[in-house]
Amino acid sequence: MSEVSSETLAKIEQDIKSGDLGKARDRLHGLISTYPNELWLRKMLGDIYDQLQYPGMAGRYWYLESEKTTEMAEACRQFERTFGNNTHHIVRALKFKGDRDVIEHLPIHLETKVTGRVKGQLLEDVGKETLKDKLLGVGCLLFIVILLGIMLVGLYTVGQWIF
């Protein structure tokens, strides 16, 4: 809990108490993308999805939890079934963008064969820049260049009108 803002956590707790689980869910999604190594945030989000009665989504966020209850384990199995027990699809759905050390030292209890393969795949994939990531960067750069080109043509045209 070291890095995460206590103010934001207080807002999340208030949202949960007031029954605004959607807002709490959205805040937690933001925190998870900002602090990917804080796995306890994933557990909180899984708890919210469980309260919202989305066990597959709860399983997605409980998946990296080291100590699962039977309800959590069943939700994780449901999450696996949602993706046809396909390791690649499960890893992509987990969207873990944290450090390799977090996964390496995570004592995931191997409830199923799939869980072991997922951990192995996560260890391979963490920190790798995908083709999609590279294309996104190139696309943004290309967009900026085109935008600057259009702006220069516009300025030139306005200059021609004036002078």
Side-chain angles (χ1 to χ4, degrees):
M1 277 202 225
S2 57
E3 296 179 23
V4 182
S5 163
S6 58
E7 182 180 319
T8 306
L9 290 174
K11 287 179 184 177
I12 291 169
E13 290 298 324
Q14 183 58 40
D15 292 337
I16 292 170
K17 286 178 186 171
S18 67
D20 194 352
L21 297 177
K23 188 180 272 186
R25 177 196 60 212
D26 294 344
R27 289 183 201 271
L28 279 166
H29 274 288
L31 284 177
I32 287 171
S33 64
T34 305
Y35 305 103
N37 291 328
E38 303 295 339
L39 298 181
W40 58 272
L41 292 170
R42 287 178 163 273
K43 183 187 180 308
M44 282 180 70
L45 185 55
D47 293 344
I48 288 176
Y49 274 116
D50 185 50
Q51 289 176 20
L52 290 169
Q53 298 181 354
Y54 291 110
M57 287 298 290
R60 173 182 286 182
Y61 292 100
W62 284 336
Y63 204 83
L64 299 177
E65 182 65 24
S66 58
E67 307 228 354
K68 296 181 181 87
T69 64
T70 54
E71 177 187 7
M72 293 166 96
E74 178 53 39
C76 291
R77 283 190 291 275
Q78 184 173 345
F79 166 66
E80 290 175 345
R81 285 190 300 269
T82 301
F83 291 95
N85 293 328
N86 182 309
T87 306
H88 176 72
H89 295 299
I90 292 170
V91 168
R92 289 195 59 181
L94 288 174
K95 298 178 184 175
F96 180 77
K97 302 288 183 196
D99 295 333
R100 178 185 171 87
D101 291 343
V102 172
I103 296 298
E104 207 166 61
H105 295 100
L106 190 66
I108 296 177
H109 300 294
L110 304 177
E111 292 100 11
T112 65
K113 288 187 251 179
V114 176
T115 310
R117 291 193 315 256
V118 167
K119 182 176 179 180
Q121 185 75 38
L122 274 171
L123 286 170
E124 285 179 30
D125 289 357
V126 168
K128 273 189 188 174
E129 188 176 28
T130 65
L131 179 61
K132 184 179 176 182
D133 295 333
K134 292 176 185 175
L135 288 177
L136 181 65
V138 170
C140 288
L141 185 62
L142 185 62
F143 177 75
I144 290 170
V145 168
I146 290 171
L147 197 60
L148 286 173
I150 292 171
M151 189 174 74
L152 289 174
V153 169
L155 286 173
Y156 177 77
T157 303
V158 168
Q160 292 296 315
W161 290 340
I162 294 174
F163 303 109

